[in-house]
Structure formats: structure tokens, C-alpha cells
Amino acid sequence: KKGEFIIDGECRQCPPGSVSLSDDAVTSCKPCPKGALHCVGNHMRLKKGFWRISNDTYTLLECPLGKEACRGEEAIGDSSCAEGYIGPMCAVC
């Protein structure tokens, strides 16, 4: 399941610094993408100034308006926008 990989026939959680967002059986986890502060299992914490559309994507986008517009952390989509910003990649209201 998401956040796990198979090794020697056993499912194990992806270790810190790596992530798996796939429901399919995988034999390795992906390293944290650029823009992530921390990854483990199927959780990804983003740096301020980065955005992603959903919990199912590895793709992180750098906000054009920077750290003040995108909160980072585990927020996704519009919920990752700071107060006064809205929409994809947190444009000014």
C-alpha cells in the first residue's frame, strides 16, 4: 500500500528521506523531491514556497510568489495558500 515497499517478500514502510505514493507493489521508495523538508512512508512535508496539487503526486512546484504565498508543510492544493492568496500555486487575491 502507499508508503510501503516490498523487500524479501515483506512490506516495509519507506524510511525517512523517501516516499511511496503508489498503491501498486513497489520494490523501492523514491527519494524526497526537491522542495520537500521531510518524507517518510507516504507523507511529505514541503518547504515554505512549494506547492503540490494532491497527496497522490510527487510533483512539487515552486510558488512564483515565494514563501509568503505557499505555506508548505503537509497542506495541498488551495489549502496550502497563505492568507490573502488563492488558487493553483497561490496567486494574489
Side-chain angles (χ1 to χ4, degrees):
K1 64 183 182 180
K2 291 180 182 180
E4 295 180 345
F5 69 108
I6 296 173
I7 187 166
D8 297 328
E10 292 184 29
C11 294
R12 302 221 177 128
Q13 182 178 13
C14 294
S18 65
V19 65
S20 172
L21 305 177
S22 176
D23 284 327
D24 299 328
V26 296
T27 57
S28 64
C29 302
K30 293 186 177 188
C32 274
K34 178 186 175 217
L37 278 172
H38 179 73
C39 298
V40 65
N42 65 333
H43 297 281
M44 209 183 300
R45 268 186 42 224
L46 307 186
K47 296 176 184 177
K48 286 185 177 187
F50 284 84
W51 181 90
R52 72 180 178 148
I53 195 165
S54 76
N55 285 325
D56 295 326
T57 182
Y58 294 99
T59 304
L60 307 183
L61 301 173
E62 196 163 354
C63 293
L65 298 176
K67 293 178 182 179
E68 71 179 54
C70 294
R71 302 185 295 124
E73 295 299 323
E74 288 195 36
I76 56 169
D78 291 349
S79 68
S80 66
C81 297
E83 189 174 331
Y85 298 87
I86 59 168
M89 296 186 37
C90 306
V92 177
C93 275

